[in-house]
Amino acid sequence: MRILGIDPGYAIVGYGVVECVSGRFSLIDCGAVTTAADMPFERRLKIIYDDMTQIVGTYKPDELSVEKLFFNTNQKTVIDVAQARGVTLLPAISAGVPIFEYTPLQVKSSIVGYGRAEKHQVQEMVRNMLHLQKIIKPDDTADAVALAITHGLSLGRRALERSNKL
């Protein structure tokens, strides 16, 4: 199964494409869509949409994993992130790709086994799981890859739970 992980934002949108076969993961590609702070917000949204359309079209993911949006104290920021998240997901929605959401706590628990793990611990585990020489950078890209792996691990757990019910 090919999984596209997304860490949404409007300055940086991290993405990671992993292949999950029999519980083993391989990295297909990863990177970040970036927009400049001095750019009009509408232009930033268009760049994110266009780049995500290309990523979904190129990698044709079976499923998409995205960080669940949570409310913070700055309402302007959360509204802007929500708008960016919408245009980020729209290409996958248009292509019929199922979308699954995970909280940072779920990602940390899934990857490290501890919900309060630090970012560097998650990054190191991702590096080990994918047999990479270096930790993935920038952090937004590393988070997106961790989201994709979390979804793959979740699929394995759900399949195991279903077989135990039979």
Side-chain angles (χ1 to χ4, degrees), residues 120-132:
H120 71 88
Q121 292 173 300
V122 175
Q123 292 172 340
E124 184 61 29
M125 283 299 294
V126 166
R127 185 192 70 74
N128 284 326
M129 292 172 88
L130 296 174
H131 309 289
L132 302 174

Side-chain angles (χ1 to χ4, degrees), residues 46-112:
K46 176 81 166 99
I47 289 169
I48 293 167
Y49 174 78
D50 289 345
D51 285 4
M52 289 308 303
T53 298
Q54 182 177 356
I55 290 164
V56 168
T58 299
Y59 296 107
K60 300 181 181 0
D62 297 304
E63 296 184 352
L64 185 144
S65 174
V66 63
E67 184 173 277
K68 188 173 186 113
L69 186 61
F70 61 93
F71 185 84
N72 64 19
T73 56
N74 186 337
Q75 290 182 349
K76 167 89 168 92
T77 300
V78 79
I79 290 169
D80 288 350
V81 171
Q83 290 182 78
R85 188 177 187 274
V87 300
T88 299
L89 297 178
L90 188 56
I93 293 166
S94 296
V97 177
I99 296 171
F100 299 85
E101 296 180 309
Y102 298 92
T103 65
L105 181 73
Q106 288 173 305
V107 173
K108 292 173 182 181
S109 294
S110 178
I111 301 291
V112 180

